[in-house]
Amino acid sequence: MIGSIVLPPQSQHMDPLSEVLALMKPQLYVAGGFGVPGDMAVRFPKHKGVKCYAMLAGNCWLVVEGVPEPVLIHAGDCFLLPRGLPFHLATDLALKPVLYTDVCVRLGVRSEAPGATEGSRYIAGGHFALTGGHAEMILHSLPPIVHIRRESDKAAMRWSLERMREELRDPQPGGSLIAQQLAYMMLIQALRLHLADAASTGPGWLSALSDRHMSIAIASMHNDPGYPWTLHSLAERVGMSRSVFALRFRKVVGATPMEYLARWRMLLAADRLKHSSDGLSAIAQSLGYQSESAFGKAFRRVMGCSPGQYIRSATPSCISAEWGR
């Protein structure tokens, strides 16, 4: 089941995380849950987009390809899988994983699951396809597993989890749509909690959003991307000297302020080139470029191709600088 997630139009009133999610254009591929009766290990192949799950009852092991240690998921835990890596869920690590398509009939995987009962192992969540340009690049700034397990964090997600449990246990008219929206709320809440846990974030735009000073600088650039920002004006905005601000920004974000600004402008430009009727001149001027030529050079430098090539391409070809580094 594919459903579009309705987001408010981008504007200067949106916070940076909301703006980035809007550019990713998430569409919910499926939302629902499945029970795991008895002992088994279920293997899931590489996926596109991001998967967000919550353990509503019981516990199981999560094993993600390339991640050295398995993770024990307890009831109330939530986890995101943003990089699309193959994984399997197991009640016992000694069991040989079986491909999910071979066991889906036994599991009863579907968008509604009235059989959810207390005391059983039960997982619910959603799989989000991301149709915005360079969404995968943004997701790769996240770790392979985002695991929400602290009691205080689980308490913050409890309402969404309980509502999801009720919708799956006792389907009502409109329940499928409610489950979709609850899955999206779980995704955003998990990202919020990950942001708040400074110890779990490395250099990148996520780290910057959780940093008091750097988040002000990023919000300023997002709120007015066409303004002629300089290192001096951004440092002044956050109340730091230029040298201290420049060092701090690069350490937290992994790029200089001007590199970040250029990338953000080009992501906005790429979205408008694909999804609006605005001409190059209008886009260039709105993003602070005085000519189409200057805009074109900046676009090619950041995106790896010309605006015209980008418009004609079915998917973005390459990018010279990673968003999450």
Side-chain angles (χ1 to χ4, degrees):
M1 153 174 83
I2 298 179
S4 297
I5 303 299
V6 179
L7 290 171
Q10 282 183 282
S11 74
Q12 64 180 14
H13 302 296
M14 289 178 69
D15 63 275
L17 179 59
S18 296
E19 288 187 310
V20 170
L21 285 172
L23 277 186
M24 288 162 62
K25 302 189 185 305
Q27 289 187 321
L28 188 60
Y29 179 71
V30 64
F34 56 90
V36 184
D39 288 326
M40 64 174 58
V42 186
R43 178 166 57 89
F44 297 84
K46 184 175 181 179
H47 61 270
K48 292 185 178 181
V50 57
K51 290 190 174 184
C52 176
Y53 292 120
M55 198 80 197
L56 297 187
N59 57 66
C60 73
W61 290 97
L62 167 66
V63 181
V64 177
E65 185 176 293
V67 177
E69 297 295 328
V71 177
L72 183 58
I73 307 296
H74 297 277
D77 288 9
C78 179
F79 61 96
L80 303 182
L81 301 173
R83 296 195 184 180
L85 299 171
F87 68 99
H88 70 263
L89 299 169
T91 58
D92 185 336
L93 291 173
L95 295 172
K96 182 179 180 180
V98 179
L99 189 63
Y100 82 103
T101 52
D102 296 334
V103 295
C104 63
V105 174
R106 178 183 172 188
L107 289 176
V109 178
R110 52 184 177 173
S111 60
E112 296 174 350
T117 59
E118 293 290 345
S120 64
R121 296 185 183 93
Y122 202 81
I123 299 172
H127 179 189
F128 298 88
L130 303 169
T131 61
H134 305 296
E136 297 301 321
M137 173 183 58
I138 296 171
L139 286 179
H140 273 66
S141 67
L142 290 164
I145 305 171
V146 176
H147 186 191
I148 308 300
R149 55 188 163 185
R150 294 189 307 189
E151 285 304 318
S152 58
D153 291 344
K154 291 197 287 188
M157 297 195 72
R158 192 157 292 138
W159 183 87
S160 297
L161 296 179
E162 288 302 319
R163 288 295 301 148
M164 176 72 85
R165 183 200 294 267
E166 290 303 315
E167 291 300 327
L168 296 173
R169 177 190 293 143
D170 184 22
Q172 299 291 326
S176 294
L177 184 59
I178 290 177
Q180 290 180 31
Q181 299 302 320
L182 286 170
Y184 193 59
M185 287 176 64
M186 287 163 55
L187 171 64
I188 297 174
Q189 187 66 28
L191 287 173
R192 275 183 173 178
L193 294 171
H194 178 68
L195 281 174
D197 185 5
S200 68
T201 57
W205 66 276
L206 275 174
S207 299
L209 296 187
S210 61
D211 183 286
R212 183 169 64 91
H213 291 99
M214 299 308 102
S215 63
I216 293 174
I218 285 180
S220 297
M221 289 185 270
H222 281 220
N223 288 345
D224 193 356
Y227 184 80
W229 294 107
T230 64
L231 185 61
H232 175 76
S233 61
L234 287 168
E236 191 174 59
R237 177 64 62 92
V238 301
M240 296 176 123
S241 70
R242 283 188 299 176
S243 59
V244 171
F245 170 69
L247 288 172
R248 177 67 180 165
F249 194 97
R250 188 175 186 87
K251 179 181 178 181
V252 174
V253 180
T256 70
M258 294 302 101
E259 287 171 343
Y260 182 94
L261 177 61
R263 294 174 195 176
W264 178 245
R265 284 172 170 172
M266 293 308 107
L267 286 177
L268 292 176
D271 183 67
R272 289 174 64 181
L273 287 169
K274 285 287 191 181
H275 301 102
S276 79
S277 58
D278 298 340
L280 285 181
S281 178
I283 294 174
Q285 289 185 16
S286 70
L287 294 175
Y289 296 92
Q290 299 304 309
S291 67
E292 290 185 26
S293 174
F295 168 72
K297 289 179 181 178
F299 192 93
R300 183 183 291 275
R301 182 173 63 253
V302 173
M303 306 301 278
C305 62
S306 70
Q309 290 171 326
Y310 184 86
I311 293 171
R312 293 189 294 271
S313 66
T315 57
S317 56
C318 61
I319 184 161
S320 59
E322 295 182 14
W323 172 260
R325 300 294 297 272

